[in-house]
Amino acid sequence: NGFMKIYDISVPLSPAMHVYPGDPAVDIQQTMKIADGDVANVSFLRFGTHTGTHVDAPAHFIDGAMTVDLIPLNLLIGRVRVIEITSKSISREVLAESDLTDDMRVIFKTRNSYAWREPEFVKDFVHLTADAAEHLVENGIKVVGIDYLSVEKYNFVNPDVHRTLLGSGAVIIEGLNLSEVDPGDYELICLPLKIEGGDGAPARVVLRG
């Protein structure tokens, strides 16, 4: 049919979904119901800017930095490399096995993609180390994606990974689900909600390939 396959790598928003500890809970309620005699179905949404599949703007960890509504869309749309990582964390040493010279955008597929199925938030998710963040910046990477709710180790002392990446002007995409996606090159389309002055925003993220 000539159509490229589209992979939806976003997680659905629901009150039952995993939320990073300390973030606002997800609340979705119908405020108008056709079944109750209303003219339309209308819902009320309440959740944090870093809920589910979302983009971290530099302003998330750096006061006064770029907000989510100002991120250039040509960063968030274009060729991306999906790299499968089997180790428990992503370090410079692990990244040295991948050639990043042609890449501006990378997404890491890890065992985290299966953590979404667990009943509770999984604390020992695969994360980046500070030297991995430095390695990505040194290689000119401008978009870094990962398949759980943070690139940073749970219960971090200092948010070095976020500060290194966001401080370089890179954008982070968190909360992806890559369980149906093979490693390789794709086209990334990532469109965060255009929240004025936002530190981040939920996004619908798809791969085409």
Side-chain angles (χ1 to χ4, degrees), residues 4 12 19 45 63 80 103 112 139 145 170 197 200:
M4 296 178 86
V19 176
L45 308 175
D63 233 9
V80 66
D103 298 309
N112 294 347
N139 279 272

Side-chain angles (χ1 to χ4, degrees), residues 12-56:
L13 294 171
S14 84
M17 74 189 302
H18 293 186
V19 176
Y20 196 90
D23 272 18
V26 177
D27 184 15
I28 302 176
Q29 295 176 24
Q30 266 198 291
T31 53
M32 290 171 64
K33 292 184 187 178
I34 295 172
D36 292 349
D38 292 320
V39 69
N41 289 320
V42 176
S43 299
F44 166 84
L45 308 175
R46 182 179 180 274
F47 46 75
T49 44
H50 302 269
T51 300
T53 305
H54 67 276
V55 170
D56 284 3

